[in-house]
Amino acid sequence: MNAPLYNTEILRLAASIPHHQRLTEPMGSSEKRSPICGSRVTVDVNLVDGRVIEVGMLVRACALGQASSSLLAANILGKTPAELATARDELTAWLAGEGQAPSWPDLDIFIPALTVTARHPSIRLAFEAAAEAAAIAATSTTGNDA
């Protein structure tokens, strides 16, 4: 594990976060904060037919949190709340050394961070916020067709 924690790919992703503006009227929204470093990520989502069709984000995080947010945003459209919860859980388990690499694209760039447990909360922020926002959005859409 000689790879640098903040490598060129991490820094590139951190500088190019898609969907980097909040939605004006999200169906679901969640903000997560890392108590260790103070990084904060807010994710807004809109769902149609149980899938994310629109996402907006406000990311105030370290380079690892920004890179993770970038990977989330690049691949979130079309996902269900259940798929986002699975991605969150897989990422959490993998970082804790309790599971295989997550199926979410490109998260293997965080291999150098596996042993740096203090950085894990910031890597998880976007996935935790997205899963919660999607669950909120799903709840807000059920039973509204009266």
Side-chain angles (χ1 to χ4, degrees), residues 3-16 63-64 67 70 109-110 112:
L5 187 57
Y6 296 99
N7 57 50
T8 303
E9 184 62 12
I10 295 273
L11 297 175
R12 184 191 65 77
L13 286 168
S16 60
L64 293 173
S70 186
I109 66 161
F110 295 115

Side-chain angles (χ1 to χ4, degrees), residues 5 37 51 53 56 100 106 142:
L5 187 57
C37 67
R51 295 192 175 275
I53 61 149
Q100 298 178 11
D106 301 322
T142 53

Side-chain angles (χ1 to χ4, degrees), residues 60-145:
R60 300 289 183 251
C62 66
L64 293 173
Q66 290 175 27
S68 180
S69 296
S70 186
L71 290 175
L72 172 89
N75 297 287
I76 192 172
L77 297 180
K79 300 292 190 227
T80 66
E83 290 170 323
L84 293 172
T86 296
R88 175 203 58 213
D89 295 346
E90 286 179 350
L91 177 60
T92 299
W94 180 64
L95 288 171
E98 300 168 357
Q100 298 178 11
S103 58
W104 198 271
D106 301 322
L107 286 177
D108 59 339
I109 66 161
F110 295 115
I111 288 173
L114 288 175
T115 59
V116 188
T117 57
R119 307 311 306 147
H120 294 180
S122 60
I123 295 169
R124 293 191 318 257
L125 288 177
F127 285 84
E128 291 171 350
E132 184 172 281
I136 291 167
T139 302
S140 73
T141 62
T142 53
N144 291 342
D145 297 329

